[in-house]
Amino acid sequence: MEFVYKARPARVIFGAGSLRHLEREVLELGANRALVLCTPEQRALAQSVADRVGARAVGLYDQAAMHVPIEVARDAREFAQACGADCAIAVGGGSTIGLGKAIALESHLPILAIPTTYAGSEMTPIYGVTEAGLKRTGTDARVLPKTVIYDPELTVTLPAELSVTSGINAIAHAAEGLYAHDANPVMSLIAEEGIRALAQGLPGVRRDAADLGARSDALYGAWLCGTVLGNVGMSLHHKLCHTLGGSFNLPHAQTHTVVLPHALAYNAAHAPDAMERIARAIGADDAARGLYDLARENGAPVALKSIGMAEADLDRAADIAVANPYWNPRPIERPALRALLQDAFDGVPPRRH
Ligand code: NAD
């Protein structure tokens, strides 16, 4: 056994109602002038977050948007400066936390993240900014949130379908983490437990979006899966989703949900240990089929054609995905990849090509 394990410093406060610790956590950061960030849709929640810190909230910026457009990042940075902010509280999903990261990258403001989806961005030093239609991503320790408050009560408003797809988006981080070239035994433990917790929580969330027990399981799983994303490299699945999201404007969490079973089927024979651990975590005989069933049985989309992909674009998607070489347990073979994309487009159960 040989590996490198690096712990990333983050303070995590978890539990239903844990938002009540917000002011204590702002002070713990040594901060006194918080800027609250959110999307336009989550302004009311952000206002209630600002109210909790009273006079320590010096501004509220509500223009966070998918993929962090550069204009929004610049505008928010200027707003942070004008407010004299000494920390940013990002309350929302990956888009809002991504905006916090874009601010932290240039201003060094510490971020306190309050995630309300299962995307996992709060646990990673990865940032992305979109300029002229192109998303530029990078890794920088400065963008990793210093403190994360996970309060399952804030996730009950996340609609059931988005909850399931966002949860499977998180499972994808852990699944690819299990066969990463730089995998390590600690991350693999975290990955398996994260998948287990999400697979346990999502059906309950789907039955009753306000079930706090199920919401806690799912958010706990999302934290663990996000940790994996922040620590080890991703492969074919994330590359495909990045291509489909970036070049064809497909919705983030839904794309992950549709592609994951097929990406796992592609890699299965080259990563048998990872497949065994995923299957065990979800209580299925087969990892790829089990995740396909988890999505379908919980009302999530299973076909690219149902989330806005055009069949005529599948060839171009395959070309883009093979264009930049990246590590994957199985070599990237265009014909098999094209067949995988066709299966994902049609929504048939995953199979090996
Ligand atoms: P999102 O942040 O775009 O949120 C989608 C919508 O749901 C928004 O309108 C948001 O306001 C709303 N919403 C969020 N939480 C809600 C709640 N609890 N109740 C009701 N509405 C709610 O979606 P996402 O899937 O969390 O994030 C996707 C983005 O994050 C993508 O741009 C992706 O690239 C990025 N991401 C980055 C990383 C990273 O490590 N850098 C990791 C994962 C995702």
Side-chain angles (χ1 to χ4, degrees):
M1 199 186 300
E2 197 178 323
F3 59 87
V4 175
Y5 169 73
K6 184 168 183 267
R8 296 207 185 274
R11 181 174 158 88
V12 171
I13 293 84
F14 192 98
S18 57
L19 188 60
R20 69 182 183 280
H21 301 305
L22 179 62
E23 188 163 23
R24 179 191 80 194
E25 292 305 320
V26 169
L27 292 172
E28 176 80 25
L29 282 174
N32 223 353
R33 299 178 62 79
L35 167 64
V36 180
L37 307 171
C38 64
T39 59
E41 297 82 20
Q42 289 183 290
R43 189 178 165 100
L45 170 64
Q47 186 59 57
S48 75
V49 164
D51 292 345
R52 279 182 183 269
V53 291
R56 291 186 215 283
V58 294
L60 196 164
Y61 186 87
D62 68 1
Q63 292 300 309
M66 192 83 152
H67 302 313
V68 194
I70 185 85
E71 302 76 18
V72 174
R74 286 194 185 119
D75 193 38
R77 277 181 206 135
E78 282 167 20
F79 188 71
Q81 210 165 22
C83 296
D86 61 7
C87 82
I89 300 176
V91 55
S95 298
T96 303
I97 293 167
L99 177 61
K101 288 176 164 182
I103 295 174
L105 188 63
E106 299 203 350
S107 68
H108 302 243
L109 282 193
I111 306 175
L112 189 158
I114 308 174
T116 62
T117 70
Y118 306 133
S121 176
E122 67 282 354
M123 281 294 136
T124 85
I126 307 161
Y127 63 88
V129 179
T130 303
E131 187 165 12
L134 267 187
K135 187 164 179 178
R136 180 170 50 85
T137 59
T139 299
D140 193 311
R142 282 174 302 180
V143 308
L144 183 73
K146 300 275 183 292
T147 304
V148 182
I149 298 180
Y150 284 107
D151 186 341
E153 286 180 6
L154 305 182
T155 61
V156 298
T157 49
L158 191 65
E161 191 202 311
L162 189 52
S163 299
V164 174
T165 56
S166 187
I168 296 176
N169 177 193
I171 289 177
H173 308 328
E176 289 228 296
L178 283 166
Y179 54 61
H181 66 96
D182 53 355
N184 68 67
V186 179
M187 277 309 131
S188 296
L189 278 175
I190 293 178
E192 190 172 338
E193 172 66 356
I195 296 171
R196 187 204 59 74
L198 274 156
Q200 177 174 311
L202 293 180
V205 166
R206 158 96 168 138
R207 272 192 302 275
D208 176 7
D211 177 340
L212 273 182
R215 285 291 186 183
S216 292
D217 285 339
L219 194 58
Y220 166 67
W223 163 40
L224 298 180
C225 293
T227 303
V228 177
L229 177 68
N231 279 276
V232 297
M234 297 290 121
S235 305
L236 173 69
H237 168 77
H238 280 74
K239 170 75 178 175
L240 279 176
C241 292
H242 193 81
T243 300
L244 294 169
S247 306
F248 305 102
N249 209 22
L250 298 193
H252 180 81
Q254 292 90 326
T255 305
H256 273 270
T257 301
V258 173
V259 171
L260 184 61
H262 303 284
L264 293 185
Y266 183 97
N267 283 333
H270 294 252
D273 293 347
M275 298 304 143
E276 202 183 307
R277 293 183 82 151
I278 297 165
R280 188 164 65 208
I282 60 177
D285 295 335
D286 178 79
R289 181 65 202 233
L291 287 169
Y292 177 85
D293 291 342
L294 181 73
R296 210 187 39 176
E297 286 162 12
N298 288 289
V302 292
L304 291 176
K305 66 181 174 194
S306 67
I307 60 167
M309 184 81 191
E311 191 162 15
D313 284 332
L314 292 176
D315 279 324
R316 195 153 62 89
D319 289 342
I320 299 171
V322 298
N324 300 310
Y326 51 93
W327 191 87
N328 189 61
R330 173 179 167 189
I332 302 302
E333 300 152 20
R334 195 187 181 288
L337 198 66
R338 179 63 180 79
L340 176 171
L341 283 168
Q342 189 69 46
D343 283 352
F345 180 82
D346 294 330
V348 299
R351 50 189 169 165
R352 294 167 196 189
H353 289 283

